[in-house]
Amino acid sequence: VQLQASGGGLVQAGASLRLSCAVSTGDFSPAALGWFRQAPGKERELVATIHWTTSTITYADSVKGRFTISRGRGVNMIPLQMRSLKPEDTAVYYCAGRSFGSTTYNYWGQGTQVTVSS
Protein backbone atom coordinates (compact mmCIF):
# COMPACT_ATOMS: atom_id res chain seq x y z
CA VAL A 1 0.00 0.00 0.00
CA GLN A 2 1.37 3.37 -0.97
CA LEU A 3 -0.06 6.74 -0.09
CA GLN A 4 1.07 10.06 -1.53
CA ALA A 5 -0.16 13.42 -0.37
CA SER A 6 -0.08 16.44 -2.64
CA GLY A 7 -1.61 19.87 -3.06
CA GLY A 8 0.22 21.79 -0.37
CA GLY A 9 1.65 25.23 -0.87
CA LEU A 10 2.20 28.71 0.47
CA VAL A 11 -0.95 30.77 0.91
CA GLN A 12 -2.13 33.80 2.82
CA ALA A 13 -4.43 33.59 5.80
CA GLY A 14 -8.03 33.18 4.72
CA ALA A 15 -7.18 31.30 1.56
CA SER A 16 -8.19 27.78 0.59
CA LEU A 17 -6.27 24.69 -0.45
CA ARG A 18 -7.32 21.24 -1.51
CA LEU A 19 -5.10 18.32 -0.60
CA SER A 20 -5.18 15.02 -2.44
CA CYS A 21 -4.13 11.59 -1.30
CA ALA A 22 -3.29 9.07 -3.98
CA VAL A 23 -3.70 5.58 -2.59
CA SER A 24 -2.44 2.55 -4.46
CA THR A 25 -4.28 -0.14 -2.64
CA GLY A 26 -3.67 -3.39 -4.36
CA ASP A 27 -5.69 -5.72 -2.15
CA PHE A 28 -5.75 -3.21 0.72
CA SER A 29 -9.23 -2.57 2.01
CA PRO A 30 -8.87 0.13 4.64
CA ALA A 31 -10.78 0.31 7.87
CA ALA A 32 -10.15 4.03 7.90
CA LEU A 33 -8.26 6.74 6.05
CA GLY A 34 -7.30 10.09 7.39
CA TRP A 35 -5.24 13.22 7.42
CA PHE A 36 -2.74 14.15 10.09
CA ARG A 37 -0.37 17.08 10.42
CA GLN A 38 2.82 17.94 12.21
CA ALA A 39 3.98 21.46 12.84
CA PRO A 40 7.61 22.26 13.69
CA GLY A 41 8.38 21.36 17.28
CA LYS A 42 4.99 19.77 17.82
CA GLU A 43 3.64 16.25 17.88
CA ARG A 44 1.71 14.87 14.96
CA GLU A 45 -2.02 15.41 15.38
CA LEU A 46 -5.18 14.14 13.80
CA VAL A 47 -6.87 16.50 11.36
CA ALA A 48 -9.72 14.44 9.92
CA THR A 49 -10.51 10.79 9.46
CA ILE A 50 -13.17 8.80 7.69
CA HIS A 51 -14.23 5.28 8.59
CA TRP A 52 -14.34 3.50 5.29
CA THR A 53 -17.23 1.16 6.03
CA THR A 54 -19.58 3.51 7.84
CA SER A 55 -18.34 6.81 6.37
CA THR A 56 -18.21 8.20 9.89
CA ILE A 57 -16.08 11.34 9.89
CA THR A 58 -14.06 12.80 12.73
CA TYR A 59 -12.48 16.26 12.77
CA ALA A 60 -10.07 17.93 15.14
CA ASP A 61 -11.83 20.73 16.99
CA SER A 62 -9.37 23.19 15.52
CA VAL A 63 -10.51 22.51 11.95
CA LYS A 64 -14.24 21.90 12.38
CA GLY A 65 -16.26 24.09 10.07
CA ARG A 66 -13.23 24.94 7.94
CA PHE A 67 -11.92 21.60 6.65
CA THR A 68 -13.89 18.95 4.81
CA ILE A 69 -12.76 15.37 4.20
CA SER A 70 -14.67 13.29 1.71
CA ARG A 71 -14.60 10.02 -0.15
CA GLY A 72 -12.91 10.62 -3.42
CA ARG A 73 -12.88 8.76 -6.66
CA GLY A 74 -10.21 6.67 -8.22
CA VAL A 75 -6.85 6.87 -6.58
CA ASN A 76 -7.63 10.17 -4.84
CA MET A 77 -9.51 8.53 -2.03
CA ILE A 78 -9.72 11.24 0.62
CA PRO A 79 -9.48 14.78 -0.68
CA LEU A 80 -9.22 17.38 2.06
CA GLN A 81 -10.73 20.77 1.32
CA MET A 82 -9.27 23.43 3.58
CA ARG A 83 -10.89 26.86 3.84
CA SER A 84 -10.25 29.95 5.92
CA LEU A 85 -6.70 28.84 6.53
CA LYS A 86 -4.89 30.26 9.54
CA PRO A 87 -1.18 30.59 10.26
CA GLU A 88 -1.59 27.91 12.93
CA ASP A 89 -2.58 25.46 10.18
CA THR A 90 1.01 25.58 8.95
CA ALA A 91 2.37 22.03 9.06
CA VAL A 92 3.34 19.03 7.02
CA TYR A 93 0.17 17.17 6.18
CA TYR A 94 0.15 13.39 5.88
CA CYS A 95 -2.48 11.00 4.67
CA ALA A 96 -2.61 7.64 6.37
CA GLY A 97 -4.53 4.40 6.37
CA ARG A 98 -5.53 1.95 9.06
CA SER A 99 -6.11 -1.69 8.20
CA PHE A 100 -8.70 -3.91 9.80
CA GLY A 101 -7.36 -5.45 12.96
CA SER A 102 -5.04 -2.54 13.63
CA THR A 103 -5.72 -0.03 16.37
CA THR A 104 -3.37 2.53 14.90
CA TYR A 105 -2.78 4.01 11.48
CA ASN A 106 -0.24 1.68 9.99
CA TYR A 107 0.19 3.03 6.48
CA TRP A 108 1.70 6.46 5.95
CA GLY A 109 2.63 8.47 2.92
CA GLN A 110 5.09 11.26 2.44
CA GLY A 111 3.67 14.56 3.52
CA THR A 112 2.92 17.79 1.76
CA GLN A 113 3.87 21.16 3.23
CA VAL A 114 1.17 23.71 3.93
CA THR A 115 2.37 27.17 4.91
CA VAL A 116 -0.09 29.91 5.80
CA SER A 117 1.28 33.43 6.09
CA SER A 118 -0.38 36.11 8.17
Short mmCIF file of all heavy atoms in Angstrom, two decimals, residues 11-61:
data_model
loop_
_atom_site.label_atom_id
_atom_site.label_comp_id
_atom_site.label_asym_id
_atom_site.label_seq_id
_atom_site.Cartn_x
_atom_site.Cartn_y
_atom_site.Cartn_z
N VAL A 11 0.21 29.92 1.13
CA VAL A 11 -0.95 30.77 0.91
C VAL A 11 -1.05 31.80 2.02
O VAL A 11 -0.43 31.66 3.07
CB VAL A 11 -2.27 29.95 0.84
CG1 VAL A 11 -2.25 28.98 -0.34
CG2 VAL A 11 -2.50 29.21 2.15
N GLN A 12 -1.88 32.80 1.79
CA GLN A 12 -2.13 33.80 2.82
C GLN A 12 -3.28 33.36 3.70
O GLN A 12 -4.13 32.54 3.29
CB GLN A 12 -2.44 35.15 2.18
CG GLN A 12 -1.25 35.79 1.49
CD GLN A 12 -1.53 37.20 1.03
OE1 GLN A 12 -2.68 37.56 0.76
NE2 GLN A 12 -0.50 38.01 0.94
N ALA A 13 -3.33 33.89 4.89
CA ALA A 13 -4.43 33.59 5.80
C ALA A 13 -5.76 33.91 5.13
O ALA A 13 -5.90 34.93 4.44
CB ALA A 13 -4.28 34.39 7.08
N GLY A 14 -6.72 33.01 5.33
CA GLY A 14 -8.03 33.18 4.72
C GLY A 14 -8.21 32.45 3.41
O GLY A 14 -9.34 32.32 2.92
N ALA A 15 -7.12 31.98 2.85
CA ALA A 15 -7.18 31.30 1.56
C ALA A 15 -7.63 29.85 1.73
O ALA A 15 -7.83 29.37 2.85
CB ALA A 15 -5.82 31.35 0.88
N SER A 16 -7.77 29.19 0.61
CA SER A 16 -8.19 27.78 0.59
C SER A 16 -7.14 26.94 -0.13
O SER A 16 -6.42 27.43 -1.00
CB SER A 16 -9.54 27.62 -0.12
OG SER A 16 -10.55 28.34 0.55
N LEU A 17 -7.09 25.69 0.23
CA LEU A 17 -6.27 24.69 -0.45
C LEU A 17 -7.02 23.38 -0.45
O LEU A 17 -7.82 23.11 0.45
CB LEU A 17 -4.92 24.49 0.24
CG LEU A 17 -3.78 25.45 -0.04
CD1 LEU A 17 -2.58 25.09 0.85
CD2 LEU A 17 -3.37 25.43 -1.50
N ARG A 18 -6.72 22.58 -1.44
CA ARG A 18 -7.32 21.24 -1.51
C ARG A 18 -6.19 20.23 -1.61
O ARG A 18 -5.40 20.25 -2.56
CB ARG A 18 -8.24 21.12 -2.72
CG ARG A 18 -8.96 19.78 -2.85
CD ARG A 18 -9.87 19.81 -4.06
NE ARG A 18 -10.51 18.55 -4.36
CZ ARG A 18 -11.67 18.16 -3.84
NH1 ARG A 18 -12.31 18.94 -3.00
NH2 ARG A 18 -12.19 17.00 -4.17
N LEU A 19 -6.12 19.36 -0.62
CA LEU A 19 -5.10 18.32 -0.60
C LEU A 19 -5.67 17.03 -1.19
O LEU A 19 -6.86 16.73 -1.02
CB LEU A 19 -4.61 18.06 0.82
CG LEU A 19 -4.03 19.25 1.58
CD1 LEU A 19 -3.50 18.78 2.94
CD2 LEU A 19 -2.95 19.95 0.79
N SER A 20 -4.80 16.32 -1.88
CA SER A 20 -5.18 15.02 -2.44
C SER A 20 -4.31 13.94 -1.85
O SER A 20 -3.16 14.18 -1.49
CB SER A 20 -5.02 15.05 -3.97
OG SER A 20 -5.87 16.00 -4.56
N CYS A 21 -4.86 12.75 -1.79
CA CYS A 21 -4.13 11.59 -1.30
C CYS A 21 -4.30 10.46 -2.30
O CYS A 21 -5.39 9.90 -2.42
CB CYS A 21 -4.63 11.16 0.06
SG CYS A 21 -3.78 9.70 0.73
N ALA A 22 -3.25 10.18 -3.03
CA ALA A 22 -3.29 9.07 -3.98
C ALA A 22 -2.96 7.79 -3.23
O ALA A 22 -1.91 7.68 -2.60
CB ALA A 22 -2.30 9.31 -5.11
N VAL A 23 -3.87 6.84 -3.31
CA VAL A 23 -3.70 5.58 -2.59
C VAL A 23 -3.65 4.45 -3.60
O VAL A 23 -4.60 4.24 -4.35
CB VAL A 23 -4.87 5.34 -1.61
CG1 VAL A 23 -4.64 4.04 -0.84
CG2 VAL A 23 -5.02 6.51 -0.66
N SER A 24 -2.54 3.76 -3.64
CA SER A 24 -2.44 2.55 -4.46
C SER A 24 -2.69 1.38 -3.52
O SER A 24 -1.88 1.08 -2.66
CB SER A 24 -1.07 2.45 -5.12
OG SER A 24 -0.08 2.28 -4.17
N THR A 25 -3.85 0.79 -3.67
CA THR A 25 -4.28 -0.14 -2.64
C THR A 25 -3.91 -1.58 -2.90
O THR A 25 -3.76 -2.35 -1.96
CB THR A 25 -5.80 -0.07 -2.47
OG1 THR A 25 -6.41 -0.43 -3.71
CG2 THR A 25 -6.23 1.32 -2.06
N GLY A 26 -3.83 -1.97 -4.11
CA GLY A 26 -3.67 -3.39 -4.36
C GLY A 26 -4.85 -4.11 -3.76
O GLY A 26 -6.00 -3.83 -4.10
N ASP A 27 -4.62 -5.00 -2.82
CA ASP A 27 -5.69 -5.72 -2.15
C ASP A 27 -6.06 -5.08 -0.82
O ASP A 27 -6.81 -5.66 -0.04
CB ASP A 27 -5.27 -7.17 -1.91
CG ASP A 27 -5.14 -7.94 -3.22
OD1 ASP A 27 -5.84 -7.58 -4.18
OD2 ASP A 27 -4.33 -8.88 -3.27
N PHE A 28 -5.52 -3.87 -0.57
CA PHE A 28 -5.75 -3.21 0.72
C PHE A 28 -7.17 -2.68 0.78
O PHE A 28 -7.58 -1.88 -0.05
CB PHE A 28 -4.75 -2.08 0.90
CG PHE A 28 -4.97 -1.25 2.14
CD1 PHE A 28 -5.01 -1.82 3.38
CD2 PHE A 28 -5.12 0.13 2.04
CE1 PHE A 28 -5.19 -1.05 4.52
CE2 PHE A 28 -5.31 0.92 3.16
CZ PHE A 28 -5.34 0.32 4.41
N SER A 29 -7.90 -3.11 1.76
CA SER A 29 -9.23 -2.57 2.01
C SER A 29 -9.16 -1.89 3.37
O SER A 29 -9.11 -2.56 4.40
CB SER A 29 -10.27 -3.68 2.03
OG SER A 29 -11.55 -3.14 2.32
N PRO A 30 -9.12 -0.56 3.38
CA PRO A 30 -8.87 0.13 4.64
C PRO A 30 -10.06 0.10 5.59
O PRO A 30 -11.21 0.11 5.17
CB PRO A 30 -8.58 1.56 4.18
CG PRO A 30 -9.37 1.71 2.93
CD PRO A 30 -9.32 0.37 2.26
N ALA A 31 -9.75 0.07 6.86
CA ALA A 31 -10.78 0.31 7.87
C ALA A 31 -11.05 1.80 7.98
O ALA A 31 -12.18 2.22 8.22
CB ALA A 31 -10.35 -0.25 9.21
N ALA A 32 -10.00 2.58 7.82
CA ALA A 32 -10.15 4.03 7.90
C ALA A 32 -9.01 4.70 7.14
O ALA A 32 -7.92 4.12 6.99
CB ALA A 32 -10.13 4.49 9.36
N LEU A 33 -9.28 5.89 6.67
CA LEU A 33 -8.26 6.74 6.05
C LEU A 33 -8.35 8.11 6.69
O LEU A 33 -9.44 8.53 7.13
CB LEU A 33 -8.49 6.85 4.54
CG LEU A 33 -8.28 5.59 3.71
CD1 LEU A 33 -8.76 5.80 2.29
CD2 LEU A 33 -6.81 5.19 3.72
N GLY A 34 -7.24 8.79 6.74
CA GLY A 34 -7.30 10.09 7.39
C GLY A 34 -6.14 11.00 7.06
O GLY A 34 -5.18 10.60 6.39
N TRP A 35 -6.27 12.21 7.54
CA TRP A 35 -5.24 13.22 7.42
C TRP A 35 -4.72 13.59 8.79
O TRP A 35 -5.51 13.75 9.74
CB TRP A 35 -5.80 14.48 6.74
CG TRP A 35 -6.04 14.31 5.28
CD1 TRP A 35 -7.21 13.95 4.67
CD2 TRP A 35 -5.08 14.49 4.22
NE1 TRP A 35 -7.04 13.90 3.31
CE2 TRP A 35 -5.74 14.23 3.01
CE3 TRP A 35 -3.74 14.85 4.19
CZ2 TRP A 35 -5.10 14.31 1.78
CZ3 TRP A 35 -3.10 14.93 2.96
CH2 TRP A 35 -3.78 14.66 1.78
N PHE A 36 -3.41 13.73 8.87
CA PHE A 36 -2.74 14.15 10.09
C PHE A 36 -1.80 15.28 9.71
O PHE A 36 -1.49 15.48 8.54
CB PHE A 36 -1.96 12.99 10.70
CG PHE A 36 -2.82 11.85 11.16
CD1 PHE A 36 -3.39 10.96 10.25
CD2 PHE A 36 -3.09 11.67 12.50
CE1 PHE A 36 -4.20 9.92 10.66
CE2 PHE A 36 -3.89 10.62 12.94
CZ PHE A 36 -4.44 9.76 12.03
N ARG A 37 -1.33 16.01 10.71
CA ARG A 37 -0.37 17.08 10.42
C ARG A 37 0.63 17.19 11.55
O ARG A 37 0.35 16.81 12.68
CB ARG A 37 -1.08 18.41 10.19
CG ARG A 37 -1.76 19.00 11.42
CD ARG A 37 -2.56 20.24 11.04
NE ARG A 37 -3.20 20.85 12.20
CZ ARG A 37 -4.06 21.87 12.12
NH1 ARG A 37 -4.37 22.39 10.93
NH2 ARG A 37 -4.59 22.36 13.22
N GLN A 38 1.78 17.72 11.20
CA GLN A 38 2.82 17.94 12.21
C GLN A 38 3.47 19.27 11.94
O GLN A 38 4.06 19.50 10.87
CB GLN A 38 3.86 16.82 12.19
CG GLN A 38 4.86 16.93 13.32
CD GLN A 38 5.66 15.66 13.50
OE1 GLN A 38 5.76 14.82 12.60
NE2 GLN A 38 6.24 15.50 14.68
N ALA A 39 3.35 20.15 12.92
CA ALA A 39 3.98 21.46 12.84
C ALA A 39 5.37 21.38 13.47
O ALA A 39 5.63 20.50 14.30
CB ALA A 39 3.12 22.49 13.56
N PRO A 40 6.26 22.28 13.11
CA PRO A 40 7.61 22.26 13.69
C PRO A 40 7.58 22.30 15.21
O PRO A 40 6.89 23.14 15.80
CB PRO A 40 8.26 23.51 13.11
CG PRO A 40 7.52 23.77 11.84
CD PRO A 40 6.12 23.34 12.11
N GLY A 41 8.29 21.38 15.83
CA GLY A 41 8.38 21.36 17.28
C GLY A 41 7.17 20.80 17.98
O GLY A 41 7.11 20.83 19.22
N LYS A 42 6.21 20.31 17.21
CA LYS A 42 4.99 19.77 17.82
C LYS A 42 4.80 18.32 17.43
O LYS A 42 5.38 17.83 16.46
CB LYS A 42 3.78 20.60 17.40
CG LYS A 42 3.80 22.03 17.90
CD LYS A 42 2.49 22.73 17.58
CE LYS A 42 2.48 24.15 18.13
NZ LYS A 42 1.19 24.83 17.85
N GLU A 43 3.95 17.64 18.19
CA GLU A 43 3.64 16.25 17.88
C GLU A 43 2.64 16.19 16.71
O GLU A 43 1.88 17.12 16.48
CB GLU A 43 3.05 15.55 19.10
CG GLU A 43 4.04 15.39 20.24
CD GLU A 43 3.48 14.56 21.38
OE1 GLU A 43 2.28 14.22 21.33
OE2 GLU A 43 4.23 14.23 22.30
N ARG A 44 2.67 15.08 16.04
CA ARG A 44 1.71 14.87 14.96
C ARG A 44 0.31 14.78 15.54
O ARG A 44 0.11 14.17 16.60
CB ARG A 44 2.06 13.59 14.21
CG ARG A 44 1.22 13.33 12.98
CD ARG A 44 1.83 12.23 12.15
NE ARG A 44 2.00 11.01 12.91
CZ ARG A 44 2.78 10.00 12.54
NH1 ARG A 44 3.49 10.09 11.42
NH2 ARG A 44 2.87 8.92 13.28
N GLU A 45 -0.64 15.39 14.87
CA GLU A 45 -2.02 15.41 15.38
C GLU A 45 -3.00 15.03 14.28
O GLU A 45 -2.76 15.25 13.09
CB GLU A 45 -2.37 16.79 15.93
CG GLU A 45 -2.35 17.91 14.91
CD GLU A 45 -2.82 19.23 15.48
OE1 GLU A 45 -3.22 19.29 16.66
OE2 GLU A 45 -2.80 20.23 14.73
N LEU A 46 -4.12 14.50 14.73
CA LEU A 46 -5.18 14.14 13.80
C LEU A 46 -5.83 15.40 13.26
O LEU A 46 -6.07 16.36 13.99
CB LEU A 46 -6.21 13.28 14.54
CG LEU A 46 -7.47 12.82 13.79
CD1 LEU A 46 -7.93 11.49 14.38
CD2 LEU A 46 -8.59 13.83 13.89
N VAL A 47 -6.12 15.41 11.99
CA VAL A 47 -6.87 16.50 11.36
C VAL A 47 -8.29 16.05 11.05
O VAL A 47 -9.26 16.66 11.48
CB VAL A 47 -6.18 16.98 10.07
CG1 VAL A 47 -7.03 18.04 9.37
CG2 VAL A 47 -4.79 17.52 10.38
N ALA A 48 -8.40 14.97 10.30
CA ALA A 48 -9.72 14.44 9.92
C ALA A 48 -9.56 13.00 9.49
O ALA A 48 -8.57 12.65 8.86
CB ALA A 48 -10.32 15.27 8.79
N THR A 49 -10.52 12.19 9.86
CA THR A 49 -10.51 10.79 9.46
C THR A 49 -11.89 10.37 8.98
O THR A 49 -12.90 10.97 9.35
CB THR A 49 -10.09 9.86 10.60
OG1 THR A 49 -11.07 9.93 11.65
CG2 THR A 49 -8.73 10.23 11.16
N ILE A 50 -11.91 9.35 8.17
CA ILE A 50 -13.17 8.80 7.69
C ILE A 50 -13.12 7.29 7.78
O ILE A 50 -12.18 6.65 7.30
CB ILE A 50 -13.46 9.29 6.24
CG1 ILE A 50 -14.80 8.76 5.75
CG2 ILE A 50 -12.34 8.92 5.29
CD1 ILE A 50 -15.27 9.46 4.48
N HIS A 51 -14.12 6.73 8.47
CA HIS A 51 -14.23 5.28 8.59
C HIS A 51 -14.76 4.78 7.26
O HIS A 51 -15.80 5.24 6.78
CB HIS A 51 -15.18 4.92 9.73
CG HIS A 51 -15.15 3.47 10.08
ND1 HIS A 51 -15.80 2.52 9.32
CD2 HIS A 51 -14.56 2.81 11.10
CE1 HIS A 51 -15.61 1.35 9.86
NE2 HIS A 51 -14.86 1.49 10.94
N TRP A 52 -14.04 3.84 6.68
CA TRP A 52 -14.34 3.50 5.29
C TRP A 52 -15.63 2.72 5.13
O TRP A 52 -16.28 2.79 4.10
CB TRP A 52 -13.16 2.74 4.67
CG TRP A 52 -13.01 3.03 3.22
CD1 TRP A 52 -13.12 2.17 2.19
CD2 TRP A 52 -12.76 4.32 2.64
NE1 TRP A 52 -12.95 2.83 1.00
CE2 TRP A 52 -12.72 4.15 1.25
CE3 TRP A 52 -12.57 5.60 3.17
CZ2 TRP A 52 -12.48 5.20 0.37
CZ3 TRP A 52 -12.33 6.65 2.31
CH2 TRP A 52 -12.30 6.44 0.92
N THR A 53 -16.02 1.97 6.14
CA THR A 53 -17.23 1.16 6.03
C THR A 53 -18.48 1.97 6.34
O THR A 53 -19.49 1.88 5.65
CB THR A 53 -17.15 -0.05 6.97
OG1 THR A 53 -15.98 -0.81 6.64
CG2 THR A 53 -18.37 -0.93 6.83
N THR A 54 -18.40 2.77 7.39
CA THR A 54 -19.58 3.51 7.84
C THR A 54 -19.61 4.94 7.34
O THR A 54 -20.62 5.62 7.47
CB THR A 54 -19.63 3.55 9.37
OG1 THR A 54 -18.50 4.30 9.85
CG2 THR A 54 -19.57 2.14 9.95
N SER A 55 -18.49 5.41 6.79
CA SER A 55 -18.34 6.81 6.37
C SER A 55 -18.42 7.79 7.52
O SER A 55 -18.65 8.99 7.31
CB SER A 55 -19.36 7.19 5.28
OG SER A 55 -19.13 6.45 4.10
N THR A 56 -18.24 7.31 8.74
CA THR A 56 -18.21 8.20 9.89
C THR A 56 -16.97 9.09 9.81
O THR A 56 -15.87 8.60 9.58
CB THR A 56 -18.17 7.39 11.19
OG1 THR A 56 -19.33 6.55 11.25
CG2 THR A 56 -18.14 8.31 12.40
N ILE A 57 -17.18 10.37 10.01
CA ILE A 57 -16.08 11.34 9.89
C ILE A 57 -15.79 11.97 11.24
O ILE A 57 -16.71 12.28 12.01
CB ILE A 57 -16.44 12.42 8.85
CG1 ILE A 57 -16.46 11.81 7.44
CG2 ILE A 57 -15.45 13.58 8.91
CD1 ILE A 57 -16.94 12.76 6.37
N THR A 58 -14.51 12.15 11.51
CA THR A 58 -14.06 12.80 12.73
C THR A 58 -13.14 13.95 12.36
O THR A 58 -12.26 13.79 11.51
CB THR A 58 -13.31 11.81 13.63
OG1 THR A 58 -14.16 10.72 13.96
CG2 THR A 58 -12.85 12.49 14.92
N TYR A 59 -13.33 15.09 12.99
CA TYR A 59 -12.48 16.26 12.77
C TYR A 59 -11.85 16.70 14.09
O TYR A 59 -12.46 16.59 15.16
CB TYR A 59 -13.28 17.45 12.22
CG TYR A 59 -13.81 17.29 10.83
CD1 TYR A 59 -15.15 17.01 10.61
CD2 TYR A 59 -12.97 17.43 9.73
CE1 TYR A 59 -15.65 16.88 9.32
CE2 TYR A 59 -13.46 17.29 8.44
CZ TYR A 59 -14.79 17.01 8.25
OH TYR A 59 -15.28 16.88 6.97
N ALA A 60 -10.65 17.23 14.00
CA ALA A 60 -10.07 17.93 15.14
C ALA A 60 -10.90 19.18 15.40
O ALA A 60 -11.39 19.82 14.45
CB ALA A 60 -8.63 18.30 14.86
N ASP A 61 -11.04 19.54 16.66
CA ASP A 61 -11.83 20.73 16.99
C ASP A 61 -11.29 21.97 16.28
O ASP A 61 -12.06 22.86 15.89
CB ASP A 61 -11.82 20.96 18.50
CG ASP A 61 -12.66 19.94 19.24
OD1 ASP A 61 -13.52 19.28 18.60
OD2 ASP A 61 -12.46 19.80 20.46
#
